[in-house]
């Protein structure tokens, strides 16, 4: 385990949330594991009115700025890979765009978000490199989620169903 991870405590609620309930502690692809861990929470949210989901996302973003900053400070590393609360919020934004609650669309949202989050096309990369603090940790994933949301919206408009057998 690297030195930064040794500074984490899952008894600390900031660390627990920032690491996506521990999903970000995965030794391989922690961001992807955090994105996967966000899905069950979103499935619970999907049963709620849309406005309340957006409230949770907005509040989660602002709280995320705080918890990611505090955890990053405690770890003494800016945007350590184990901090995945930004992936949670990014996945939730992305999944708000899917037109149907089924495995195919959830996986489509997951893959599209992960592509944008890992690839970091312009302007995501600029925000990732130039904006610091908890806001900086969060904002690149929010922009990646907006790109993913728009991509899904375009798939729906043009009636493209990824992973479809038809």
């Amino acid at each position: 385990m690297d030195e930064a991870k040794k500074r984490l405590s899952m008894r600390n609620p900031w660390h627990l949330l920032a690491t996506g309930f521990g999903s970000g502690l995965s030794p391989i692809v922690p961001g992807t594991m955090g994105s996967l861990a966000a899905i069950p929470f979103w499935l619970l949210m999907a049963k709620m009115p849309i406005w309340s989901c957006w409230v949770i996302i907005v509040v989660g973003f602002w709280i995320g700025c705080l918890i990611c900053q505090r955890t990053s400070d405690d770890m003494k590393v800016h945007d350590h890979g184990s901090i995945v609360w930004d992936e949670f919020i990014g996945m939730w934004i992305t999944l708000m765009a899917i037109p149907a609650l089924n495995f195919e669309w959830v996986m489509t949202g997951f893959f599209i978000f992960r592509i944008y989050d890992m690839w970091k096309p312009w302007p995501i990369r600029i925000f990732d490199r130039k904006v610091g603090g908890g806001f900086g940790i969060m904002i690149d994933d929010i922009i990646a989620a907006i790109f993913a949301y728009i991509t899904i919206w375009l798939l729906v408009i043009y009636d493209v169903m990824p992973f479809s057998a038809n």
Side-chain angles (χ1 to χ4, degrees):
M1 183 182 313
D2 68 48
E3 286 300 312
K5 282 185 182 179
K6 289 178 184 176
R7 295 184 185 103
L8 290 172
S9 168
M10 292 302 102
R11 292 182 189 164
N12 180 325
W14 301 107
H15 297 176
L16 184 65
L17 287 173
T19 62
F21 304 97
S23 62
L25 298 176
S26 170
I28 57 167
V29 292
T32 299
M33 295 304 164
S35 297
L36 281 172
I39 294 171
F41 293 96
W42 183 82
L43 291 171
L44 293 172
M45 289 169 51
K47 298 174 189 290
M48 301 165 57
I50 289 174
W51 66 267
S52 60
C53 293
W54 284 113
V55 167
I56 291 169
I57 289 168
V58 169
V59 170
F61 170 78
W62 289 110
I63 289 172
C65 291
L66 177 64
I67 66 171
C68 291
Q69 178 64 56
R70 291 191 70 177
T71 302
S72 182
D73 290 347
D74 291 347
M75 295 180 82
K76 298 181 181 10
V77 176
H78 175 70
D79 203 2
H80 190 275
S82 64
I83 297 174
V84 296
W85 185 254
D86 48 337
E87 273 82 9
F88 268 60
I89 302 301
M91 276 300 300
W92 295 348
I93 291 169
T94 300
L95 293 174
M96 290 297 288
I98 65 173
L101 185 57
N102 62 37
F103 179 77
E104 290 85 5
W105 277 112
V106 171
M107 287 298 97
T108 297
F110 169 78
F111 286 118
I112 291 171
F113 172 70
R114 291 308 303 148
I115 288 167
Y116 284 123
D117 188 34
M118 291 185 295
W119 180 38
K120 297 194 186 315
W122 182 92
I124 300 167
R125 181 168 294 150
I126 292 170
F127 282 90
D128 182 53
R129 292 181 179 165
K130 303 281 185 188
V131 181
F135 181 80
I137 293 170
M138 294 293 296
I139 195 64
D140 65 301
D141 286 70
I142 300 309
I143 298 168
I146 292 168
F147 278 35
Y149 189 103
I150 291 168
T151 301
I152 292 168
W153 180 74
L154 290 169
L155 291 173
V156 171
I157 284 178
Y158 291 105
D159 197 28
V160 177
M161 177 56 188
F163 307 113
S164 175
N166 297 341

